Structures are given as structure tokens and as C-alpha cells.
Amino acid sequence: MKLQIRFNMLNNKLLDNPVQHFIRTNLNSDLQELALKGSPFHGIQTVELLQQIQSKLKCHKKLPTWFNSEGMYYPDKLNIEQTSSEATADFKRRLVSGGSLFDLTGGFGVDSYYFSKQIDRVVHCECDEKLSEIVMHNFKVLNRENISCLNADGLEILRQNNQRFDWIYLDPSRRDDHKKKRVFVQDCTPDVSKHLEFLFKYSNNIMVKLSPMLDIQAALSVLPNTENIYVVAVKNEVKELLFILKNGVLDEPKLNAVNLNTDQPSFEFLIQQEQESTIQFNPPLKYLYEPNSAVLKAGGFKSIARIFGLSKLDKHTHLYTSNSLVKSFPGKVYRVRSVLPYQKKQLKRQFSGLKATLKTRHFPKSVNQLKSELKTVEGDDFLLLFTSVNHKKMVLLLDQKQIFNKS
């Protein structure tokens, strides 16, 4: 059976059953060998087959719904790399509500797909004609009947139709004409900071997805009316920043650090509270705390100590400590077995042959240098953390197994 689509830019032959079977069975094949063999199908170029295989493979872990669905049509792998993962898209849908959402920069449509599970009507705009056709086809395969696909500039569609939506969503392109990455709001396309007044004519609620590399304060300086900022990590790797803008809101925004696909709780604080908080310093006590990457990106260095009643080891190291166990900490929690001064000869006698994992925080030597010096063996019996406190180098012998909140 062949899925029929009436599009101008897609090769329908790629959807024939024999071709789909070929794509599935060659996901782990050597692409250079396949290229040399050429396409075994009439009307299909070798480059088209290889693109489908490469792009489908990119979806394996990032987009399992697309990977596991029969009859999907895949764009260039760069489109897959630039799209949201299903984990982050599912998180975003929980931040919106209402009857309508306008996805101004639709891309591969993963965010629109998840928004459509929360919102009655979603409009997906994409300037690239072929990508728009691909997304329209895939939405039919996925039975998302409440999404309308438009091959057009989203800003122009808003201007022409003069229709209001409960939400507008933007994921501005972070690539220039030469495919180089861009980070600052003003360098992305479209530049949201230039269009805010216009966008608020069509919705009181705007969500903007931005680069995880972006400086949050720099973004706030050009995005007034920001009510919430979400730093979204997946398994302790920051993937995206979400700015929630509300028409007329002038209050200080709240920062939310989220670490998806872990059992770590989210963490929230206000920038002013962070700036006004004081912090206490202590040498390592009974428990050691390492905030997750979302908390660190959000910059809640003093707030996390204040809220959880922790002391910091050193002003240059984002490690915290306490004598009483804090179970709900958003990060890793370890029990401290011993604290030793960094004395090379003594440590070598004590740790030589020890099965341990080594980590450094604010320490002048690398892990490889320390392994060579101390003659430890890679293993999971203990964690040796090398750090500096008040200019004194020391090593903490920690239980390798985290007590709570594994990432």
C-alpha cells in the first residue's frame, strides 16, 4: 500500500512499501557502501534514499513517535537537529492553554504536534515549501486533524488575516545565510525584540524558544513583559530557554530550572531575591550537593543555598554542604566519607589501585593528570572529588551512589 499525497516537491515513490522496508533495514548500514551501490529503485535518486536513512536515524532517540510511525517523510537531517525533542515539546505544551495557538516558525512541526494535544486549533507556518509539505504529510500520518499548515511567512499571515490567538509561539532561526550559529535575540530570524508590539496585537501570550547558550540577562534587556523564564534540561544537559511574555506584565520575571527525564524536582526563584541573598561558607560537612545544569544556567547560586538551608564550599565553586540531609535538592546528593588535604605522596599510598571515579571542581589539575599521579583504577566503588576551599586543595571521598535525585 502506498500513502498518496498530492504535493509538488516530495517524491511520493519514497513512500512505497519496498522503499520504506529498504530504509528501515539499512538504518545501521555503511552509507558510503550504499552510495557506491546506487539506488535500486526507479525514480528515486541515491541521495534521496540516504537522506531518508540519515534523518530517520536522527529521530531514533530524539523523536521516537516519528521514528516508530510507518510512512513518515523525513527532511534534511539539519532540520531534525534543529527541532525540539519530544521531551521538551511535551514540556512546552503544559505551559499553554486555550483554544488557539499560532506557531509562527513551525519547522519540522514537533512543537506544533504537542501543542495540538493541549490546544483546540494550531496553525503551523513554515516558509520553506518542501518542509511545509513534509510536515503536512506527517501530521496526516499522525492523525493530527486540528493543525493547519501554511507555507508562508508567519508575520505576513498575522498581518493579512488580522486574527487573534490565545498563544503565539516562536522558535527563531539561529542560523545565518552561511549556516553559522547565532545566539543573541537580535541576531535570530525573526528578531523577536523588533516585533513584540506587533505580536501583542494578535495575542496576549507569547512563548519564545531561545538558545541554551544565550545570556539570560542579555535576553531580558530586549524582551520586556517577560513573566517566566524556563531553563529546560534533559538528563542534565540544557537544551533550550523558554521566555513566556505576557502583554502588560511589568513585574520581575520568575526563573524556573527544569531537568526532564530525571527524578529531580524543578527549582524556581526571583532574580531580585538572588541578588539580595547572602550566603554562608563552610568546609565540607556530612553531605555534599551539586546543582543540576538547569539550576546553574539559571544562576540561582545563592537562592539554592537560602531555600534549602545549605552552605557553600567556596565562592569559586558551586558545591554546597550540610550536616542534615536535604532530600528534595535539584541535583546530585552525596554522602561525604572523608575529607583529605591534597598531598600527592600520601594520597598515592592511600588510593593506588582504588576503583573510583575522579572529578574536579575548581582544581588546577585535570582528571587524567590525577589518575596518572595516584594510580587509581576506573571503577564505581567511590567518587573522588578534587576541589579547592579557601585556596586549600583537598579531596573528598564520596559514596559513588547518589543518595537521591539521580540524573
Side-chain angles (χ1 to χ4, degrees), residues 62 114 136 148-149 170 243 253 311 327 360 390:
K62 187 176 184 179
Y114 274 91
M136 189 185 304
S148 301
C149 292
L170 299 91
F243 280 65
S311 300
K327 296 182 179 180
T360 60
N390 293 328

Side-chain angles (χ1 to χ4, degrees), residues 42-58:
H42 176 72
I44 298 177
Q45 298 179 18
T46 304
V47 66
E48 291 179 297
L49 276 177
L50 296 182
Q51 176 184 295
Q52 293 299 302
I53 292 170
Q54 285 180 307
S55 295
K56 183 178 178 68
L57 196 56
K58 285 279 183 183

Side-chain angles (χ1 to χ4, degrees), residues 91-107:
F91 174 77
K92 284 194 280 285
R93 77 170 174 86
R94 291 178 256 160
L95 303 179
V96 301
S97 61
S100 59
L101 181 143
F102 190 85
D103 188 344
L104 193 142
T105 53

